[in-house]
Amino acid sequence: MAAAWEFHLPLSPADLLRNGGPGRYVVQEVLPARELPPALTAFRTAFRARGALAVLQHFDPLYSLLHHFQAVGTDVKEDALELMMRVVSHHSNELPAILGDSGLSHADRTAHLNALKMNCYLLTGLVDAFEMETCKSGLLENKKNRTKTSGSLWEEEREPLLRLLTQLLQLDLHKLWGGSMVEEEFVSLMTGSCYRILENSSIGLQKYRATREAVTHLLAAALVHYDHMFSATLKITQMLQHFEHVAPVFAQAVSLWATEYGLKSLVGELLREIGQKCLQDLTRDASGIKGYATFITELAEQIPALVLSNMSVLLRHLDGESYMMRNAVLVAMAEVLVQVLNGDQLEEAARGTRDQFLNMLQAHVCDINGFVRSRVLQLFTRIVQCKALPLTQFQSVVSLAVGRLRDKSVVVAKNAIQLLAAFLSNNPFSSKLSCTDLAEPLKKEVQKLQEMRDRDRSTAAPVITPEEEWEAMLPEVRAATQQLFQPQQEGEEEVLEVEETVESTSEQITRLLRKLNYKSAARLTQKALCRFQGKEPFSGPMEENEEAAILGVLKRLYTGSCPGENSEDAPHGNSSLKTKEVVLEEQSQTELVKQEMLVQYLQDAYNFSVKITEALSLISKMMYENCVSVVQEAIEFFVTVSQFGVPQALVGVRRMLPLIWSREPGIKEAVLNAYRRLYLSPSGDSERARAQGLVRSLSLIMVDASLGTIQCLEEIISEFVQKDEIKPAVIQLLWERFTEKSQCSSLERRAAVMLLGMMARGKPEIIGSNLDVLVTVGLSEKVCEDYRLAQEVCNAISKLAGNPKPALGNNNTPFRLPQNHMLFGCLSKTVSKGFDQPSGHWIPFMEAAVMLIYQLAEGAEEICAHILQVCSQQALEKLREADGQKADPGVSPSRVSGGASSLPTFLLTHLVSLVGQVALQQVAHLEVSVSAELRRRRILREEEKTKKRSDSSMRQKRLQSTGNETTMEEELGLVGATADDTEAELIRNICEKELLDGKHLFSAFVPLVLKICNNPGLYSDSVLSAAAALSLGKLCMISSDFCDSHLRLLFTMMEKSTLPGVRSNLIIAAGDLAIRFPNLVEPWTSHLYARLRDPCPSVRQTAGLVMTHLILKDMVKVKGQVSEMAALLIDPEEAIMGVAQNFFSELSNKGNAIYNLLPDIISRLSDPNCGIEEESFHIIMRHLFSYITKDKQTESLVEKLCQRFRTARTERQCRDLSHCLTLLPLSERGLHKLQDNFDCFADKLQDPAVYSCFQTVLVRFRRAGGKPENKTLAEELEQKLSASHNRGLDSAETCQEGSRTPMPEPAKQKPTGGSHRQPLSTANRDDDFVTPQPRTFRNQKRAQKRPPPKKAVITFSSDEENSSEDELSAELREEETPTKTTPITRSSARRLR
């Protein structure tokens, strides 16, 4: 029966149900599911009886099971799987003996072949069915909801089953097919199950590693024994295209096949297949690209040598559009460079390949796609870390990395920083990379090399070889030889006898040649040839031409002789001398080569250091990017640079300090870690040495540090102290330095006090436990020698005061020292003692001392009043000495005002500074400390009353009698609010009515301050003027009435003073007054904005900082003048530019603020009269438009900008508006806005610059891609643009009058230079182009109807007759005085809309 038919493997299961022709097996009946269990039992019985051949009679039941697989129970499926594994295993064990039987009949071979194919078909069918069921049910992914299903057994049996099939394929099955090739359908049947298993997305999990290995070995058997190469290549490439997860699996498998099974050609076939893929098709198929890219990348990591041999087929993808394929090929190159083409022992061809790959990688650093640029930088980082980059390529790659720091993609910039850090950590030059340290040895070695070259050039005369001499002599020698064969004339015979020996004859001929006696030498040679035939040098092949023979002998003799001048020297002496010269010359050349290599090494190190220094300035600016990861990389880079001793690294280390206040926890932690690594881990053998290193490093960073830097460092150190990361040995060393027990300089001593104060912020007991030491040592008799040390001592002690504003609910008594504490006695004595001594550091010390008194002292006002009295008394005594009067103790301090001009300038400066500081601290004391204390005591009283009321039996009656009113007030919190208002009113009355009345001490000094401020000609000292101006501002902080009456003087001085210090101080004072009395200062806001155009950079910077604070705190209305802040973005001073950038960065966080202000800013800055050049306008707009990120804002701005074209009166304004459109990322709706508003700008398109901008907008829109209809719309708009542009040009050429909308004449722009911009005009001819004027209120209208009341004009008078009026006086006219507008309540929160 077995021979009657043959089992053909079907293409689909249904083929077995159809009659395929005579002799082919057909399934007779598909059993129903309920009959399958007994049928399986029958098959099992038959298997026991006949073995594997039992399937020949029982194939149909198992085929039926596959047909009804979904409907069959789990137990039946598992029984069938187990039975078929046993059958195939049994058959596999029988086959070796059967195949080895030479007498196997054809019928038996056919029976076993059919049984093998049937069994394998059924088993692989079960594999496919189980695998599909597993994928559908998600058993491999969701383990928690797993139930007992057929997948349970399948997971356990899958690996043994694959091993069974592998074992089967390792047999020599060709004999079953009669020794011919095994049919391809059978091999595909066996391998198809492997590919089906690999399609499962969870096959890459670690727990299925054994299954993956089993699949790999099964496919390897098919590849080795059954010529599965072509099919495997196609199947693998197809699966890579459709299943992303198989790429790492196949990469591992191919690597194994190539290394363990010798299938290296498969690697080439796969890579060639991928390399030949159509680039356009890959662009459309994203999933396929990812699979191919991952496969190439993983394969290159595992077998880079084989990938190298097939790299040429992949290079075409570097020119394709798919960035993932470009990345994959570049990664493969990098792996080859690291693992194969690495080292100094490469052959010439390998070195050329290496350089070619490096050049390709460098070319793609500037790839159009940011992901490729980023990936290449990552690859170079790995190459550098693996030390696979040759020194010749160092400089070019470093330059590329520095260039990428400016990349618009933050990921690229981040990776560029990482690459530079890798270069630093793995540089082959030095552990210290200071340009200054490297420049000196380089210069020295270059000079030494030059000297060596000069020496060699002078000692080594031009060497002419004998051959060169012979070539020069040859024409004359030949002419002389030819004369031998001519008839001789009479008297020409010269008797020359040949010597007896060959040597002597040779020497004789050589001497004749050297004496240029060529004819005699030739004749003697002719004779010697006849006499010494066969002897050297007269032997050799005889030329037919005798002349040639003579010339040949002469050449041998001449070129073989010593070239020295003295030809009579002994031959042995010549030889030894020549040898010595050669040795010396070789040594000289060797030293020269070594020196050249040293110079090249130093030059490379210096160039590398220069590039790193260049990168520092760029990376330091990147520390304030919005991307957290970029900031973290920048911080990490500066830590690395600092460890390599680059001096400029300290700038970056300081620059990262303000990041400690960042809201991002990651950035704050990065700063802490950076300082932890830089300063808390110093090198040293002992605890003491490490403490000294830490203190030395921290002291260094505080040298010339600004106040902001000190505050940031204080925050960091206090964090370290709170976490106990600073050792006690460090604190002990600081105290020793302060008390001078440890030898140190005055700077180091001062730094020690500052560090102690910073640590006290984290742990106040550091100062509190040693307060007496601080007072006795820091405020001793020697304080006059170093006021700065005393100032730092005051700052350190002030850390005991804690937070002046206690937290809500904290009713603890604030820390105060008694009025008679030794600290305040020392402070009073020290301030008074230094008052009459000229010192530039007394004022800062005095300010710190007064502040400390108000922070810690009980009755601080009495102590400071005493200090004021003592100091004013000293001033009176000086005044009496100047006037020649006797002491009169009854004279008032106001007497100083009358004779102030007689006092020394420094004394007046000290006095007005002291008055201003005491006045300011008194106000702060009342507003903060006294107010908080009143509230604290009130709360305590209320708590006591509440307790008594709760204990009292009358509480119920009181509640009933008061009714609901009291209860409602308490619920609404009106009781506390009323009390707060009462306390605030009390403080306000004290400030308004008491502090500056005639009874208070301040009133005695006000005339003095006003006199100095009103007479800049008389009091012309810059320090005195600045101090008086600041004191005036501080006195204005006390009372609103006093402030109102002196604001005109203050702003007049701010505008017309010639001293930058005065203007800066008054700007600061005006900023404080704007917060304290906003209603009074609001009319003067334009004068504050005007200081942003001040010619002095320091004043502009101060004004920028003050306006930043006022605007961000909503204390100043953001009017059109905010364009003045925008103009600072192009300030020549980098610090001022940074202030402006920080302002707009913070303003962008306030909702739509920048979006609302942009139209006004554009209007004002595009006005030619504004003084902003066109290029500068572009820079400003580029920065501001970077904050426009929302689509709705973009669309609205497109419409607004298009509408503004209607009101544009100059070509410049049109160009500026069109440039602004190019800065917006145009969306689909934005394009529609352009189309809808086309008529607004159609007539302006004749300007080439405007037309070019619109073209740029459309190009960017197309590049972004989108729907086909959007592209059609863009093309229509482009046609309209082109038509309007050409029509405008034609009409302009023919007749300008005939154009529809003639362009007006461009406004004449006044020349501007540098940062001196012209004041912004307050009005513009075009009403639509200016910021709308403030709304006019009723009271303003009434004020305009009646004439303004006359006010006293402030005039700067002078007692000096010879001074000019312009120099000594300043006046603000009545019409310049702003009119008060609607009052601004202090508590109102104005928002930018």
Side-chain angles (χ1 to χ4, degrees), residues 906-927:
F906 81 88
L907 205 64
L908 273 177
T909 305
H910 286 184
L911 184 58
V912 296
S913 298
L914 178 61
V915 171
Q917 180 66 5
V918 173
L920 181 64
Q921 292 303 319
Q922 181 66 35
V923 173
H925 179 66
L926 290 169
E927 292 277 355

Side-chain angles (χ1 to χ4, degrees), residues 90-274:
H90 182 268
H91 203 185
S92 177
N93 295 331
E94 283 183 342
L95 277 176
I98 295 169
L99 295 173
D101 185 4
S102 58
L104 184 67
S105 65
H106 177 72
D108 290 342
R109 182 179 63 79
T110 304
H112 280 286
L113 178 59
N114 287 333
L116 176 66
K117 290 197 285 186
M118 283 181 166
N119 288 328
C120 289
Y121 175 79
L122 293 171
L123 184 58
T124 55
L126 287 171
V127 169
D128 293 348
F130 273 111
E131 198 63 37
M132 288 182 66
E133 186 180 62
T134 303
C135 291
K136 287 181 180 179
S137 60
L139 291 173
L140 299 180
E141 297 176 355
N142 190 0
K143 217 172 181 181
K144 295 179 181 177
N145 300 329
R146 189 166 174 173
T147 57
K148 178 70 173 136
T149 63
S150 58
S152 304
L153 177 68
W154 173 237
E155 285 186 36
E156 299 169 2
E157 296 295 337
R158 185 164 50 183
E159 182 193 345
L161 188 152
L162 290 168
R163 285 204 302 267
L164 173 61
L165 294 178
T166 305
Q167 178 186 344
L168 182 64
L169 285 180
Q170 287 172 346
L171 300 176
D172 188 10
L173 298 178
H174 298 82
K175 293 182 180 179
L176 284 179
W177 275 268
S180 62
M181 292 290 294
V182 176
E183 61 182 276
E184 188 177 343
E185 289 81 1
F186 179 78
V187 179
S188 298
L189 179 74
M190 303 291 280
T191 56
S193 300
C194 298
Y195 298 128
R196 176 58 63 94
I197 291 172
L198 292 179
E199 288 177 7
N200 193 327
S201 59
S202 60
I203 194 65
L205 298 177
Q206 180 64 25
K207 64 179 179 178
Y208 300 123
R209 180 180 177 182
T211 304
R212 293 197 302 273
E213 292 177 353
V215 169
T216 302
H217 290 297
L218 175 55
L219 291 174
L223 287 164
V224 172
H225 301 294
Y226 300 99
D227 196 19
H228 185 55
M229 180 85 69
F230 180 72
S231 300
T233 303
L234 293 179
K235 187 64 178 176
I236 290 173
T237 51
Q238 287 174 3
M239 291 188 68
L240 287 173
Q241 186 172 359
H242 296 99
F243 303 97
E244 294 179 11
H245 67 275
V246 300
V249 179
F250 276 131
Q252 182 70 34
V254 172
S255 173
L256 183 72
W257 297 336
T259 53
E260 294 189 10
Y261 292 92
L263 298 170
K264 295 181 180 179
S265 60
L266 179 63
V267 178
E269 291 295 329
L270 285 169
L271 293 180
R272 190 174 295 108
E273 191 70 26
I274 295 173

Side-chain angles (χ1 to χ4, degrees), residues 1235-1363:
Q1235 183 81 290
D1236 296 341
N1237 293 277
F1238 182 80
D1239 293 339
C1240 297
F1241 54 83
D1243 57 332
K1244 310 296 191 298
L1245 291 171
Q1246 67 181 22
D1247 189 328
V1250 176
Y1251 178 70
S1252 174
C1253 288
F1254 278 96
Q1255 289 287 100
T1256 304
V1257 170
L1258 289 178
V1259 168
R1260 289 181 181 171
F1261 178 79
R1262 285 200 203 92
R1263 193 180 299 163
K1267 301 177 183 177
E1269 53 268 24
N1270 293 338
K1271 293 183 179 180
T1272 306
L1273 183 64
E1275 291 174 0
E1276 292 177 3
L1277 183 59
E1278 184 176 17
Q1279 292 173 1
K1280 293 175 68 176
L1281 289 172
S1282 179
S1284 297
H1285 174 63
N1286 295 331
R1287 185 166 60 249
L1289 291 179
D1290 294 342
S1291 61
E1293 290 172 0
T1294 55
C1295 179
Q1296 188 173 3
E1297 291 80 3
S1299 61
R1300 292 181 303 168
T1301 309
M1303 291 295 293
E1305 295 182 4
K1308 295 181 180 179
Q1309 183 174 343
K1310 297 180 181 179
T1312 57
S1315 63
H1316 299 289
R1317 307 186 307 280
Q1318 297 176 3
L1320 292 179
S1321 58
T1322 56
N1324 195 311
R1325 290 172 297 179
D1326 182 6
D1327 296 336
D1328 292 326
F1329 250 89
V1330 299
T1331 305
Q1333 294 296 325
R1335 191 173 49 185
T1336 305
F1337 297 97
R1338 294 194 192 97
N1339 57 352
Q1340 288 178 311
K1341 293 179 180 178
R1342 286 196 297 269
Q1344 291 170 2
K1345 291 178 182 177
R1346 60 176 181 269
K1350 292 185 178 180
K1351 292 186 180 179
V1353 177
I1354 296 175
T1355 307
F1356 289 177
S1357 60
S1358 172
D1359 297 332
E1360 298 180 11
E1361 297 177 358
N1362 297 329
S1363 299

